[in-house]
Amino acid sequence: MNAVSSEWTKFWSVRSTWWCLISGVLLMLAYSGAVGLAANAGVERSMAPHAVVTGAAFYLTQFAVVALATLVITSEYASGSIRSTLQWVPARNRVLAAKSAVLVPVLFGYGVLNTLLGVAISAPLIPERDSSVGEVLATSAGMGGYFALLGLLCLGLGTALRSTAGTIVTVFVLLVMIPMFAGSLGGEDAVNYFPGFAGVNAMLNSGEPNPVFGGVAPYARWVGIALCTAWAAAGLAAGSTVLRRRDA
């Protein structure tokens, strides 16, 4: 518990945490409002408010989460404070577990909050398309789960790579570049198993139109969460291996 308390204090005491969280909220509000206005004016096809939020989450807000979760560990390597952290908590996997224990509830709640804010700003702009309470809650839970698991993936990769730029680039490649190339080479089915696509599908019902990529969600929400969990576990396993085997 002392390790978790320490990580909680460190997390909220640095400006980068607040900048990332505030930036993500502003991006969500801006995108949701812009798409809602475009749909109202007939420029953009009309979508239900929860679908507008799904698109906003994938394109913009997730990168605020990537930056935040990456800096949780790489900023310590950059400043050298990781040495003090490992002296206070010699069991290295406990350090990773403590950081994970802080990130998961914060990012889950952040995803839920962003969903509610996005729906609140887009719903009045597209009154002919309503989202039920159930749809909004399901999307909120999916986004919260995706953000939490994406944060764990970034934490694991950041621990392994020990570089802010390297981690963000690697995650961007996993979320966008590899799926893009795979899709262009005829691997459209394979892209749904990458973390970004799985995260969006976790916010949709099976067969529901996908507002981000087109087509429909190919599997149930829980499958998307399970895939994101597998990616997060792989990232944490890589980070744990490097953390245990290499000096700080």
Side-chain angles (χ1 to χ4, degrees):
M1 289 301 295
N2 289 336
V4 175
S5 177
S6 174
E7 291 299 335
W8 181 267
T9 300
K10 286 192 290 184
F11 181 80
W12 293 111
S13 62
V14 295
R15 293 181 181 178
S16 59
T17 295
W18 296 101
W19 279 115
C20 290
L21 292 175
I22 292 170
S23 297
V25 169
L26 292 178
L27 289 170
M28 171 64 77
L29 294 176
Y31 192 96
S32 298
V35 174
L37 287 171
N40 192 296
V43 177
E44 177 68 65
R45 62 187 177 89
S46 182
M47 295 185 289
H50 78 282
V52 169
V53 170
T54 302
F58 180 80
Y59 277 122
L60 298 175
T61 314
Q62 67 173 348
F63 292 108
V65 172
V66 169
L68 173 61
T70 298
L71 288 170
V72 164
I73 183 65
T74 58
S75 62
E76 293 202 39
Y77 280 107
S79 66
S81 62
I82 189 65
R83 299 184 184 90
S84 298
T85 297
L86 295 178
Q87 286 177 343
W88 294 329
V89 187
R92 297 192 171 193
N93 280 339
R94 284 183 58 199
V95 173
L96 208 55
K99 290 182 181 294
S100 299
V102 171
L103 276 178
V104 167
V106 170
L107 293 181
F108 181 85
Y110 186 62
V112 172
L113 174 64
N114 267 284
T115 301
L116 299 178
L117 291 175
V119 169
I121 196 171
S122 61
L125 300 175
I126 44 177
E128 71 278 5
R129 294 293 302 275
D130 295 324
S131 293
S132 68
V133 173
E135 288 173 330
V136 173
L137 292 178
T139 300
S140 298
M143 187 181 298
Y146 172 52
F147 278 7
L149 294 168
L150 178 61
L152 294 183
L153 173 62
C154 295
L155 174 64
L157 291 177
T159 305
L161 298 175
R162 305 184 176 195
S163 163
T164 301
T167 302
I168 291 176
V169 169
T170 300
V171 174
F172 181 79
V173 168
L174 282 175
L175 294 179
V176 180
M177 299 306 297
I178 293 179
M180 183 185 299
F181 284 122
S184 66
L185 295 174
E188 292 84 358
D189 293 335
V191 300
N192 286 302
Y193 298 92
F194 282 85
F197 283 64
V200 173
N201 289 326
M203 304 175 209
L204 303 170
N205 292 313
S206 179
E208 184 177 357
N210 189 319
V212 182
F213 310 113
V216 298
Y219 42 67
R221 294 175 188 267
W222 70 266
V223 176
I225 290 295
L227 289 169
C228 290
T229 301
W231 280 101
L236 288 173
S240 175
T241 300
V242 172
L243 188 63
R244 287 185 287 107
R245 294 183 178 180
R246 291 177 57 186
D247 292 334

